[in-house]
Amino acid sequence: KQWYQRRVRALANYYVLQGTIYQAPDLHHVLNSRLAGTLFHLQEALDKTLKMSRYDPNKGHYWSFDPPAPSKEEKLRSEPCSQFQRESVDKLIDILTKKYQHFMLRTGPVVTEQQNLKQESKDEPQR
């Protein structure tokens, strides 16, 4: 942006990687992103320390490093799938592969109609 004949102000900076032009982020966005990432990890660390700290009237404050036993819901969530779900998905995949088998047999490059006509015209003997 040009204010006067001798004053020029850059509106944005750009950089090029492997032939692609990217707009460089300004300092505000870089700091915001770095701080957000840092605060996220700090919050996770504080949450974990709060879960480990304990208080007992007889013992006072102490740290419990043993993980609590997972509840039934957490156990169910941690399992990827049940045997029934695996069998159902296997049946569906089998049905779909049989139904759409002609789509799966294509292994080479797809040839368009124009490419096919050009190839046929090359294969014809010249008169």
Side-chain angles (χ1 to χ4, degrees):
K1 183 175 181 180
Q2 189 172 359
W3 291 335
Y4 301 105
Q5 289 181 355
R6 295 186 185 186
R7 284 191 156 180
V8 177
R9 180 176 165 230
L11 295 177
N13 294 321
Y14 297 88
Y15 61 95
V16 179
L17 286 177
Q18 297 178 352
T20 305
I21 301 171
Y22 299 97
Q23 184 176 1
D26 58 350
L27 184 61
H28 171 265
H29 287 100
V30 171
L31 289 177
N32 189 18
S33 173
R34 297 289 173 100
L35 284 173
T38 304
L39 290 175
F40 171 77
H41 293 295
L42 280 174
Q43 184 66 42
E44 278 190 346
L46 286 173
D47 289 343
K48 286 182 181 179
T49 56
L50 284 175
K51 288 179 184 175
M52 288 187 230
S53 76
R54 302 278 185 251
Y55 176 77
D56 188 311
N58 295 332
K59 296 180 187 177
H61 288 281
Y62 67 97
W63 294 94
S64 173
F65 294 105
D66 298 328
S71 66
K72 289 182 181 180
E73 290 179 16
E74 289 175 349
K75 285 181 183 178
L76 289 175
R77 276 192 233 133
S78 66
E79 287 185 21
C81 60
S82 67
Q83 183 66 28
F84 172 75
Q85 290 170 329
R86 271 184 247 134
E87 289 173 359
S88 299
V89 168
D90 287 343
K91 287 178 187 176
L92 283 172
I93 290 173
D94 188 42
I95 290 169
L96 291 173
T97 53
K98 287 178 183 176
K99 186 175 181 180
Y100 297 105
Q101 191 173 15
H102 58 281
F103 287 120
M104 298 177 73
L105 293 177
R106 260 189 223 163
T107 55
V110 178
V111 179
T112 64
E113 181 100 19
Q114 287 180 334
Q115 291 172 339
N116 202 4
L117 291 173
K118 285 180 185 178
Q119 185 64 31
E120 287 176 5
S121 65
K122 288 181 183 177
D123 292 343
E124 289 180 14
Q126 302 256 337
R127 291 185 196 182

